[in-house]
Amino acid sequence: MDATDRPPVDVAVGVLIERDADGREGRFLLTSRPQGKVYAGHWEFPGGKLEAGETVEEALRRELDEELGITIGAAQPWKVELMDYPHARVRLHFCKVHDWSGEFEMREGQDMAWQRLPVDVVPVLPGTIPVLEWLAAERGHTGPTHRQPDGPVPA
């Protein structure tokens, strides 16, 4: 069975972005994948799978509460990307989020980092790279969007 035979899993992803007083977008939030999950330690935008009957925004609201302990305001649908990983085919529904409340709690033992381009946390999950490229295009950023891990990537 090749990758196209696998039905994609829908995943809601939050691109949380701070805004300055003039409304310009600044730093964005990345979180690390917790131990015990595929790609543990890789950095990504937070989110998770849609449950039966959920909209993308409902899933994102639930996941960010479960994972980070925050309540989000409006989620602005942004882009959709299909990624084929060895373990799964996922349809990533990226939403920009500018408003949230609550204190960040890393409820899955993950780490969080507010970042700018180029991102300096490593390694970055493959599904995160297109988002960094979209942000770079919107912001007129040229050059690399993220650092490469030094040396060979552990198997």
Side-chain angles (χ1 to χ4, degrees):
M1 180 157 97
D2 72 17
T4 56
D5 294 333
R6 297 187 294 173
V9 174
D10 286 293
V11 175
V13 184
V15 182
L16 276 67
I17 304 174
E18 294 178 327
R19 280 189 168 149
D20 67 15
D22 297 322
R24 286 188 300 265
E25 293 185 347
R27 299 186 310 167
F28 48 88
L29 182 74
L30 291 178
T31 57
S32 64
R33 292 191 51 84
Q35 291 306 312
K37 287 198 173 179
V38 178
Y39 288 102
H42 282 68
W43 290 85
E44 65 179 353
F45 291 94
K49 296 182 191 112
L50 274 66
E51 291 180 353
E54 272 186 325
T55 65
V56 169
E57 186 167 343
E58 289 167 345
L60 188 59
R61 191 171 301 285
R62 176 184 50 75
E63 286 284 346
L64 295 183
D65 176 49
E66 288 174 4
E67 292 179 13
L68 306 178
I70 60 168
T71 301
I72 63 168
Q76 172 191 337
W78 186 31
K79 308 244 186 197
V80 178
E81 183 83 1
L82 196 61
M83 291 293 299
D84 277 314
Y85 289 107
H87 70 287
R89 190 164 190 241
V90 292
R91 184 182 299 117
L92 302 166
H93 299 264
F94 293 100
C95 299
K96 284 189 177 183
V97 178
H98 297 103
D99 302 300
W100 56 86
S101 60
E103 293 296 318
F104 284 93
E105 301 171 33
M106 299 295 104
R107 294 179 169 176
E108 295 184 337
Q110 73 276 45
D111 291 318
M112 65 178 277
W114 288 101
Q115 295 288 294
R116 298 184 184 278
L117 295 171
V119 167
D120 63 6
V121 291
V122 291
V124 173
L125 191 69
T128 297
I129 295 169
V131 186
L132 300 178
E133 292 168 351
W134 301 331
L135 288 170
E138 283 186 359
R139 296 172 181 204
H141 173 85
T142 56
T145 58
H146 60 288
R147 248 180 1 111
Q148 296 299 320
D150 298 323
V153 176

